[in-house]
Amino acid sequence: MTTKLDKPLKREVQIGDKAYTLTIDPAGLKLVEKGHRKGVEVDWTEIAARESSG
């Protein structure tokens, strides 16, 4: 059974010595260093395109 992703899901991720917030939502993924506002965003269509081209 799977659960539909209908609202943002946030988790803290430790990468090296820095803490990040990973947000997974219906639009895609966002990884932001904790305490910052800007980060890396990837939408689901980009991920799906990579999967189908590989």
Side-chain angles (χ1 to χ4, degrees):
M1 186 168 108
T2 59
T3 303
K4 186 173 181 172
L5 183 62
D6 57 1
K7 58 185 175 183
L9 176 66
K10 292 186 176 187
R11 294 292 183 264
E12 185 174 315
V13 178
Q14 191 74 28
I15 302 174
D17 61 348
K18 294 183 180 180
Y20 292 83
T21 300
L22 173 66
T23 304
I24 304 170
D25 64 23
L29 306 170
K30 184 174 183 180
L31 184 67
V32 179
E33 187 175 349
K34 221 161 172 180
H36 293 79
R37 292 182 180 211
K38 294 185 179 181
V40 177
E41 293 185 61
V42 181
D43 66 38
W44 295 119
T45 56
E46 289 180 53
I47 295 170
R50 290 180 190 177
E51 177 67 23
S52 64
S53 67

